[in-house]
mmCIF file of all heavy atoms in Angstrom:
data_model
loop_
_atom_site.group_PDB
_atom_site.id
_atom_site.type_symbol
_atom_site.label_atom_id
_atom_site.label_comp_id
_atom_site.label_asym_id
_atom_site.label_seq_id
_atom_site.Cartn_x
_atom_site.Cartn_y
_atom_site.Cartn_z
ATOM 1 N N VAL C 45 -0.768 -2.501 -19.457
ATOM 2 C CA VAL C 45 -1.399 -1.250 -19.025
ATOM 3 C C VAL C 45 -0.334 -0.169 -18.862
ATOM 4 O O VAL C 45 -0.485 0.968 -19.334
ATOM 5 C CB VAL C 45 -2.172 -1.453 -17.701
ATOM 6 C CG1 VAL C 45 -2.519 -0.107 -17.055
ATOM 7 C CG2 VAL C 45 -3.447 -2.265 -17.939
ATOM 8 N N ILE C 46 0.755 -0.525 -18.204
ATOM 9 C CA ILE C 46 1.821 0.460 -17.973
ATOM 10 C C ILE C 46 2.428 0.904 -19.300
ATOM 11 O O ILE C 46 2.597 2.103 -19.556
ATOM 12 C CB ILE C 46 2.882 -0.118 -17.021
ATOM 13 C CG1 ILE C 46 2.273 -0.338 -15.629
ATOM 14 C CG2 ILE C 46 4.101 0.812 -16.939
ATOM 15 C CD1 ILE C 46 3.169 -1.071 -14.652
ATOM 16 N N ALA C 47 2.706 -0.054 -20.175
ATOM 17 C CA ALA C 47 3.330 0.290 -21.462
ATOM 18 C C ALA C 47 2.417 1.159 -22.308
ATOM 19 O O ALA C 47 2.876 2.076 -23.001
ATOM 20 C CB ALA C 47 3.694 -0.998 -22.211
ATOM 21 N N THR C 48 1.124 0.897 -22.261
ATOM 22 C CA THR C 48 0.179 1.695 -23.053
ATOM 23 C C THR C 48 0.276 3.153 -22.675
ATOM 24 O O THR C 48 0.347 4.040 -23.535
ATOM 25 C CB THR C 48 -1.262 1.182 -22.834
ATOM 26 O OG1 THR C 48 -1.328 -0.164 -23.291
ATOM 27 C CG2 THR C 48 -2.262 2.029 -23.610
ATOM 28 N N TYR C 49 0.265 3.428 -21.373
ATOM 29 C CA TYR C 49 0.290 4.829 -20.945
ATOM 30 C C TYR C 49 1.680 5.448 -21.028
ATOM 31 O O TYR C 49 1.827 6.658 -21.151
ATOM 32 C CB TYR C 49 -0.297 4.974 -19.538
ATOM 33 C CG TYR C 49 -1.796 5.030 -19.598
ATOM 34 C CD1 TYR C 49 -2.568 3.911 -19.334
ATOM 35 C CD2 TYR C 49 -2.435 6.204 -19.985
ATOM 36 C CE1 TYR C 49 -3.945 3.958 -19.443
ATOM 37 C CE2 TYR C 49 -3.811 6.268 -20.098
ATOM 38 C CZ TYR C 49 -4.558 5.148 -19.825
ATOM 39 O OH TYR C 49 -5.923 5.196 -19.938
ATOM 40 N N GLU C 50 2.711 4.623 -20.961
ATOM 41 C CA GLU C 50 4.058 5.187 -21.049
ATOM 42 C C GLU C 50 4.453 5.435 -22.509
ATOM 43 O O GLU C 50 5.158 6.387 -22.810
ATOM 44 C CB GLU C 50 5.068 4.222 -20.407
ATOM 45 C CG GLU C 50 4.806 3.973 -18.939
ATOM 46 C CD GLU C 50 5.598 4.897 -18.023
ATOM 47 O OE1 GLU C 50 6.821 4.802 -18.014
ATOM 48 O OE2 GLU C 50 4.983 5.694 -17.306
ATOM 49 N N ASP C 51 4.016 4.561 -23.408
ATOM 50 C CA ASP C 51 4.564 4.589 -24.762
ATOM 51 C C ASP C 51 3.557 4.918 -25.861
ATOM 52 O O ASP C 51 3.939 5.371 -26.931
ATOM 53 C CB ASP C 51 5.191 3.225 -25.112
ATOM 54 C CG ASP C 51 6.195 2.776 -24.066
ATOM 55 O OD1 ASP C 51 6.836 3.658 -23.467
ATOM 56 O OD2 ASP C 51 6.313 1.563 -23.837
ATOM 57 N N GLU C 52 2.282 4.649 -25.647
ATOM 58 C CA GLU C 52 1.345 4.744 -26.776
ATOM 59 C C GLU C 52 0.417 5.945 -26.699
ATOM 60 O O GLU C 52 0.274 6.682 -27.663
ATOM 61 C CB GLU C 52 0.500 3.459 -26.872
ATOM 62 C CG GLU C 52 1.312 2.267 -27.355
ATOM 63 C CD GLU C 52 0.510 0.986 -27.326
ATOM 64 O OE1 GLU C 52 -0.724 1.045 -27.496
ATOM 65 O OE2 GLU C 52 1.123 -0.080 -27.117
ATOM 66 N N ILE C 53 -0.252 6.115 -25.561
ATOM 67 C CA ILE C 53 -1.236 7.193 -25.462
ATOM 68 C C ILE C 53 -0.566 8.415 -24.861
ATOM 69 O O ILE C 53 -0.070 8.358 -23.748
ATOM 70 C CB ILE C 53 -2.428 6.782 -24.576
ATOM 71 C CG1 ILE C 53 -3.062 5.503 -25.103
ATOM 72 C CG2 ILE C 53 -3.454 7.906 -24.537
ATOM 73 C CD1 ILE C 53 -4.217 5.014 -24.256
ATOM 74 N N GLY C 54 -0.548 9.496 -25.608
ATOM 75 C CA GLY C 54 0.056 10.711 -25.083
ATOM 76 C C GLY C 54 -0.407 11.907 -25.878
ATOM 77 O O GLY C 54 -1.210 11.788 -26.810
ATOM 78 N N PRO C 55 0.119 13.095 -25.541
ATOM 79 C CA PRO C 55 -0.366 14.335 -26.150
ATOM 80 C C PRO C 55 -0.105 14.435 -27.650
ATOM 81 O O PRO C 55 -0.705 15.282 -28.326
ATOM 82 C CB PRO C 55 0.415 15.427 -25.415
ATOM 83 C CG PRO C 55 1.133 14.780 -24.299
ATOM 84 C CD PRO C 55 1.102 13.303 -24.488
ATOM 85 N N LEU C 56 0.746 13.552 -28.187
ATOM 86 C CA LEU C 56 0.963 13.562 -29.632
ATOM 87 C C LEU C 56 -0.346 13.281 -30.376
ATOM 88 O O LEU C 56 -0.586 13.818 -31.467
ATOM 89 C CB LEU C 56 2.036 12.530 -29.995
ATOM 90 C CG LEU C 56 2.467 12.492 -31.467
ATOM 91 C CD1 LEU C 56 3.005 13.855 -31.911
ATOM 92 C CD2 LEU C 56 3.522 11.405 -31.686
ATOM 93 N N ASN C 57 -1.198 12.452 -29.782
ATOM 94 C CA ASN C 57 -2.512 12.195 -30.400
ATOM 95 C C ASN C 57 -3.276 13.500 -30.579
ATOM 96 O O ASN C 57 -3.764 13.807 -31.672
ATOM 97 C CB ASN C 57 -3.345 11.258 -29.511
ATOM 98 C CG ASN C 57 -2.967 9.794 -29.686
ATOM 99 O OD1 ASN C 57 -2.235 9.441 -30.603
ATOM 100 N ND2 ASN C 57 -3.462 8.951 -28.798
ATOM 101 N N GLY C 58 -3.381 14.245 -29.497
ATOM 102 C CA GLY C 58 -4.114 15.511 -29.571
ATOM 103 C C GLY C 58 -3.465 16.488 -30.537
ATOM 104 O O GLY C 58 -4.155 17.202 -31.284
ATOM 105 N N ALA C 59 -2.137 16.512 -30.527
ATOM 106 C CA ALA C 59 -1.415 17.455 -31.391
ATOM 107 C C ALA C 59 -1.701 17.169 -32.865
ATOM 108 O O ALA C 59 -1.856 18.091 -33.679
ATOM 109 C CB ALA C 59 0.082 17.368 -31.111
ATOM 110 N N ARG C 60 -1.780 15.899 -33.210
ATOM 111 C CA ARG C 60 -2.082 15.551 -34.618
ATOM 112 C C ARG C 60 -3.482 16.012 -35.008
ATOM 113 O O ARG C 60 -3.708 16.483 -36.126
ATOM 114 C CB ARG C 60 -1.967 14.029 -34.802
ATOM 115 C CG ARG C 60 -0.534 13.539 -34.760
ATOM 116 C CD ARG C 60 -0.421 12.151 -35.387
ATOM 117 N NE ARG C 60 0.971 11.754 -35.497
ATOM 118 C CZ ARG C 60 1.498 10.688 -34.890
ATOM 119 N NH1 ARG C 60 0.734 9.913 -34.135
ATOM 120 N NH2 ARG C 60 2.770 10.406 -35.034
ATOM 121 N N VAL C 61 -4.396 15.849 -34.073
ATOM 122 C CA VAL C 61 -5.777 16.270 -34.337
ATOM 123 C C VAL C 61 -5.835 17.789 -34.534
ATOM 124 O O VAL C 61 -6.470 18.293 -35.464
ATOM 125 C CB VAL C 61 -6.684 15.812 -33.171
ATOM 126 C CG1 VAL C 61 -8.053 16.466 -33.248
ATOM 127 C CG2 VAL C 61 -6.803 14.290 -33.163
ATOM 128 N N VAL C 62 -5.134 18.515 -33.668
ATOM 129 C CA VAL C 62 -5.137 19.980 -33.764
ATOM 130 C C VAL C 62 -4.509 20.433 -35.086
ATOM 131 O O VAL C 62 -5.045 21.310 -35.782
ATOM 132 C CB VAL C 62 -4.389 20.595 -32.561
ATOM 133 C CG1 VAL C 62 -4.118 22.082 -32.782
ATOM 134 C CG2 VAL C 62 -5.206 20.389 -31.279
ATOM 135 N N ALA C 63 -3.382 19.830 -35.443
ATOM 136 C CA ALA C 63 -2.702 20.234 -36.677
ATOM 137 C C ALA C 63 -3.584 19.985 -37.898
ATOM 138 O O ALA C 63 -3.622 20.785 -38.835
ATOM 139 C CB ALA C 63 -1.371 19.490 -36.814
ATOM 140 N N ARG C 64 -4.326 18.889 -37.876
ATOM 141 C CA ARG C 64 -5.245 18.631 -38.984
ATOM 142 C C ARG C 64 -6.340 19.697 -39.031
ATOM 143 O O ARG C 64 -6.678 20.214 -40.105
ATOM 144 C CB ARG C 64 -5.862 17.219 -38.850
ATOM 145 C CG ARG C 64 -6.910 16.873 -39.903
ATOM 146 C CD ARG C 64 -6.329 16.709 -41.300
ATOM 147 N NE ARG C 64 -5.296 15.702 -41.348
ATOM 148 C CZ ARG C 64 -5.511 14.390 -41.546
ATOM 149 N NH1 ARG C 64 -6.736 13.938 -41.728
ATOM 150 N NH2 ARG C 64 -4.489 13.538 -41.572
ATOM 151 N N ALA C 65 -6.845 20.055 -37.865
ATOM 152 C CA ALA C 65 -7.910 21.079 -37.821
ATOM 153 C C ALA C 65 -7.403 22.433 -38.307
ATOM 154 O O ALA C 65 -8.171 23.230 -38.839
ATOM 155 C CB ALA C 65 -8.463 21.186 -36.401
ATOM 156 N N TRP C 66 -6.109 22.692 -38.096
ATOM 157 C CA TRP C 66 -5.527 23.959 -38.551
ATOM 158 C C TRP C 66 -5.393 24.020 -40.076
ATOM 159 O O TRP C 66 -5.279 25.097 -40.649
ATOM 160 C CB TRP C 66 -4.137 24.154 -37.947
ATOM 161 C CG TRP C 66 -4.126 24.587 -36.506
ATOM 162 C CD1 TRP C 66 -5.184 25.041 -35.768
ATOM 163 C CD2 TRP C 66 -2.987 24.628 -35.630
ATOM 164 N NE1 TRP C 66 -4.774 25.350 -34.489
ATOM 165 C CE2 TRP C 66 -3.431 25.117 -34.385
ATOM 166 C CE3 TRP C 66 -1.638 24.297 -35.789
ATOM 167 C CZ2 TRP C 66 -2.570 25.281 -33.296
ATOM 168 C CZ3 TRP C 66 -0.780 24.455 -34.707
ATOM 169 C CH2 TRP C 66 -1.245 24.943 -33.475
ATOM 170 N N THR C 67 -5.346 22.851 -40.700
ATOM 171 C CA THR C 67 -5.055 22.827 -42.136
ATOM 172 C C THR C 67 -6.254 22.405 -42.980
ATOM 173 O O THR C 67 -6.165 22.403 -44.201
ATOM 174 C CB THR C 67 -3.886 21.849 -42.436
ATOM 175 O OG1 THR C 67 -4.208 20.561 -41.890
ATOM 176 C CG2 THR C 67 -2.600 22.347 -41.813
ATOM 177 N N ASP C 68 -7.349 22.026 -42.346
ATOM 178 C CA ASP C 68 -8.478 21.473 -43.092
ATOM 179 C C ASP C 68 -9.770 21.971 -42.439
ATOM 180 O O ASP C 68 -10.171 21.484 -41.383
ATOM 181 C CB ASP C 68 -8.378 19.935 -43.044
ATOM 182 C CG ASP C 68 -9.503 19.241 -43.806
ATOM 183 O OD1 ASP C 68 -10.560 19.860 -44.032
ATOM 184 O OD2 ASP C 68 -9.322 18.061 -44.156
ATOM 185 N N ASP C 69 -10.403 22.946 -43.064
ATOM 186 C CA ASP C 69 -11.587 23.574 -42.467
ATOM 187 C C ASP C 69 -12.751 22.605 -42.290
ATOM 188 O O ASP C 69 -13.487 22.676 -41.303
ATOM 189 C CB ASP C 69 -12.052 24.761 -43.321
ATOM 190 C CG ASP C 69 -11.142 25.967 -43.156
ATOM 191 O OD1 ASP C 69 -10.380 25.989 -42.163
ATOM 192 O OD2 ASP C 69 -11.186 26.869 -44.005
ATOM 193 N N ALA C 70 -12.924 21.707 -43.263
ATOM 194 C CA ALA C 70 -14.027 20.751 -43.143
ATOM 195 C C ALA C 70 -13.773 19.819 -41.950
ATOM 196 O O ALA C 70 -14.698 19.468 -41.199
ATOM 197 C CB ALA C 70 -14.163 19.940 -44.435
ATOM 198 N N TYR C 71 -12.496 19.443 -41.776
ATOM 199 C CA TYR C 71 -12.147 18.590 -40.625
ATOM 200 C C TYR C 71 -12.412 19.325 -39.317
ATOM 201 O O TYR C 71 -12.955 18.766 -38.357
ATOM 202 C CB TYR C 71 -10.683 18.155 -40.702
ATOM 203 C CG TYR C 71 -10.309 17.282 -39.521
ATOM 204 C CD1 TYR C 71 -10.687 15.941 -39.496
ATOM 205 C CD2 TYR C 71 -9.626 17.800 -38.423
ATOM 206 C CE1 TYR C 71 -10.397 15.140 -38.412
ATOM 207 C CE2 TYR C 71 -9.334 17.007 -37.335
ATOM 208 C CZ TYR C 71 -9.718 15.683 -37.335
ATOM 209 O OH TYR C 71 -9.437 14.895 -36.247
ATOM 210 N N ARG C 72 -12.029 20.590 -39.283
ATOM 211 C CA ARG C 72 -12.247 21.398 -38.082
ATOM 212 C C ARG C 72 -13.732 21.387 -37.688
ATOM 213 O O ARG C 72 -14.081 21.232 -36.520
ATOM 214 C CB ARG C 72 -11.770 22.831 -38.356
ATOM 215 C CG ARG C 72 -11.973 23.800 -37.214
ATOM 216 C CD ARG C 72 -11.648 25.229 -37.668
ATOM 217 N NE ARG C 72 -12.405 26.192 -36.897
ATOM 218 C CZ ARG C 72 -11.913 26.852 -35.849
ATOM 219 N NH1 ARG C 72 -10.672 26.689 -35.496
ATOM 220 N NH2 ARG C 72 -12.665 27.677 -35.177
ATOM 221 N N GLU C 73 -14.587 21.523 -38.682
ATOM 222 C CA GLU C 73 -16.031 21.503 -38.399
ATOM 223 C C GLU C 73 -16.467 20.167 -37.824
ATOM 224 O O GLU C 73 -17.240 20.107 -36.872
ATOM 225 C CB GLU C 73 -16.830 21.785 -39.679
ATOM 226 C CG GLU C 73 -17.046 23.260 -39.921
ATOM 227 C CD GLU C 73 -17.929 23.497 -41.145
ATOM 228 O OE1 GLU C 73 -18.938 22.775 -41.290
ATOM 229 O OE2 GLU C 73 -17.579 24.380 -41.941
ATOM 230 N N ARG C 74 -15.945 19.086 -38.430
ATOM 231 C CA ARG C 74 -16.311 17.758 -37.905
ATOM 232 C C ARG C 74 -15.801 17.580 -36.481
ATOM 233 O O ARG C 74 -16.464 16.992 -35.639
ATOM 234 C CB ARG C 74 -15.727 16.656 -38.802
ATOM 235 C CG ARG C 74 -16.343 16.564 -40.175
ATOM 236 C CD ARG C 74 -16.127 15.190 -40.806
ATOM 237 N NE ARG C 74 -14.730 14.879 -41.086
ATOM 238 C CZ ARG C 74 -14.011 15.367 -42.093
ATOM 239 N NH1 ARG C 74 -14.564 16.226 -42.940
ATOM 240 N NH2 ARG C 74 -12.752 15.011 -42.272
ATOM 241 N N LEU C 75 -14.611 18.106 -36.218
ATOM 242 C CA LEU C 75 -14.011 17.963 -34.892
ATOM 243 C C LEU C 75 -14.841 18.688 -33.828
ATOM 244 O O LEU C 75 -15.046 18.183 -32.730
ATOM 245 C CB LEU C 75 -12.575 18.521 -34.915
ATOM 246 C CG LEU C 75 -11.782 18.395 -33.619
ATOM 247 C CD1 LEU C 75 -11.515 16.931 -33.278
ATOM 248 C CD2 LEU C 75 -10.463 19.164 -33.716
ATOM 249 N N LEU C 76 -15.320 19.859 -34.167
ATOM 250 C CA LEU C 76 -16.109 20.619 -33.203
ATOM 251 C C LEU C 76 -17.505 20.010 -33.037
ATOM 252 O O LEU C 76 -18.154 20.175 -32.009
ATOM 253 C CB LEU C 76 -16.215 22.089 -33.635
ATOM 254 C CG LEU C 76 -14.873 22.839 -33.693
ATOM 255 C CD1 LEU C 76 -15.068 24.272 -34.175
ATOM 256 C CD2 LEU C 76 -14.166 22.833 -32.339
ATOM 257 N N GLU C 77 -17.936 19.287 -34.057
ATOM 258 C CA GLU C 77 -19.266 18.660 -34.025
ATOM 259 C C GLU C 77 -19.246 17.349 -33.232
ATOM 260 O O GLU C 77 -20.092 17.107 -32.390
ATOM 261 C CB GLU C 77 -19.720 18.392 -35.471
ATOM 262 C CG GLU C 77 -21.106 17.810 -35.617
ATOM 263 C CD GLU C 77 -22.196 18.767 -35.148
ATOM 264 O OE1 GLU C 77 -22.006 20.007 -35.246
ATOM 265 O OE2 GLU C 77 -23.218 18.268 -34.664
ATOM 266 N N ASP C 78 -18.277 16.498 -33.513
ATOM 267 C CA ASP C 78 -18.192 15.179 -32.850
ATOM 268 C C ASP C 78 -16.712 14.852 -32.646
ATOM 269 O O ASP C 78 -16.064 14.255 -33.501
ATOM 270 C CB ASP C 78 -18.884 14.108 -33.701
ATOM 271 C CG ASP C 78 -18.941 12.763 -32.992
ATOM 272 O OD1 ASP C 78 -18.205 12.571 -31.995
ATOM 273 O OD2 ASP C 78 -19.723 11.894 -33.428
ATOM 274 N N GLY C 79 -16.191 15.248 -31.494
ATOM 275 C CA GLY C 79 -14.761 15.229 -31.225
ATOM 276 C C GLY C 79 -14.079 13.887 -31.441
ATOM 277 O O GLY C 79 -13.109 13.783 -32.193
ATOM 278 N N MET C 80 -14.584 12.825 -30.806
ATOM 279 C CA MET C 80 -13.848 11.561 -30.894
ATOM 280 C C MET C 80 -13.974 10.919 -32.271
ATOM 281 O O MET C 80 -13.035 10.279 -32.740
ATOM 282 C CB MET C 80 -14.308 10.586 -29.808
ATOM 283 C CG MET C 80 -13.616 10.751 -28.476
ATOM 284 S SD MET C 80 -11.805 10.873 -28.541
ATOM 285 C CE MET C 80 -11.345 9.156 -28.709
ATOM 286 N N ALA C 81 -15.130 11.083 -32.915
ATOM 287 C CA ALA C 81 -15.263 10.516 -34.262
ATOM 288 C C ALA C 81 -14.237 11.161 -35.189
ATOM 289 O O ALA C 81 -13.556 10.472 -35.964
ATOM 290 C CB ALA C 81 -16.679 10.743 -34.788
ATOM 291 N N ALA C 82 -14.094 12.481 -35.076
ATOM 292 C CA ALA C 82 -13.116 13.167 -35.917
ATOM 293 C C ALA C 82 -11.691 12.796 -35.509
ATOM 294 O O ALA C 82 -10.821 12.591 -36.361
ATOM 295 C CB ALA C 82 -13.320 14.683 -35.826
ATOM 296 N N ALA C 83 -11.445 12.681 -34.216
ATOM 297 C CA ALA C 83 -10.094 12.312 -33.763
ATOM 298 C C ALA C 83 -9.688 10.954 -34.310
ATOM 299 O O ALA C 83 -8.537 10.751 -34.720
ATOM 300 C CB ALA C 83 -10.038 12.305 -32.231
ATOM 301 N N SER C 84 -10.650 10.032 -34.363
ATOM 302 C CA SER C 84 -10.309 8.678 -34.813
ATOM 303 C C SER C 84 -10.016 8.634 -36.317
ATOM 304 O O SER C 84 -9.491 7.652 -36.810
ATOM 305 C CB SER C 84 -11.419 7.684 -34.443
ATOM 306 O OG SER C 84 -12.596 7.976 -35.161
ATOM 307 N N GLU C 85 -10.318 9.707 -37.031
ATOM 308 C CA GLU C 85 -9.909 9.792 -38.440
ATOM 309 C C GLU C 85 -8.410 10.004 -38.560
ATOM 310 O O GLU C 85 -7.802 9.649 -39.564
ATOM 311 C CB GLU C 85 -10.588 10.993 -39.132
ATOM 312 C CG GLU C 85 -12.080 10.892 -39.321
ATOM 313 C CD GLU C 85 -12.607 12.174 -39.982
ATOM 314 O OE1 GLU C 85 -11.913 12.740 -40.856
ATOM 315 O OE2 GLU C 85 -13.700 12.610 -39.604
ATOM 316 N N VAL C 86 -7.812 10.639 -37.559
ATOM 317 C CA VAL C 86 -6.427 11.101 -37.664
ATOM 318 C C VAL C 86 -5.460 10.250 -36.854
ATOM 319 O O VAL C 86 -4.321 10.033 -37.257
ATOM 320 C CB VAL C 86 -6.339 12.578 -37.198
ATOM 321 C CG1 VAL C 86 -4.904 13.083 -37.219
ATOM 322 C CG2 VAL C 86 -7.226 13.458 -38.073
ATOM 323 N N VAL C 87 -5.902 9.784 -35.704
ATOM 324 C CA VAL C 87 -5.009 8.996 -34.845
ATOM 325 C C VAL C 87 -5.669 7.669 -34.519
ATOM 326 O O VAL C 87 -6.884 7.507 -34.653
ATOM 327 C CB VAL C 87 -4.638 9.749 -33.534
ATOM 328 C CG1 VAL C 87 -3.731 10.914 -33.844
ATOM 329 C CG2 VAL C 87 -5.879 10.208 -32.789
ATOM 330 N N ASP C 88 -4.840 6.721 -34.098
ATOM 331 C CA ASP C 88 -5.307 5.371 -33.846
ATOM 332 C C ASP C 88 -5.942 5.297 -32.452
ATOM 333 O O ASP C 88 -5.344 4.813 -31.496
ATOM 334 C CB ASP C 88 -4.129 4.394 -33.953
ATOM 335 C CG ASP C 88 -4.578 2.950 -33.763
ATOM 336 O OD1 ASP C 88 -5.782 2.680 -33.938
ATOM 337 O OD2 ASP C 88 -3.729 2.102 -33.426
#
Side-chain angles (χ1 to χ4, degrees):
Chain C
V45 165
I46 294 172
T48 298
Y49 278 99
E50 299 266 295
D51 307 328
E52 289 175 30
I53 304 178
L56 185 58
N57 279 349
R60 288 199 173 119
V61 168
V62 168
R64 176 69 57 87
W66 283 348
T67 55
D68 181 339
D69 285 343
Y71 180 78
R72 178 188 152 98
E73 273 184 43
R74 292 201 295 284
L75 182 66
L76 297 178
E77 183 65 30
D78 186 344
M80 274 312 280
S84 66
E85 292 178 37
V86 177
V87 290
D88 183 20

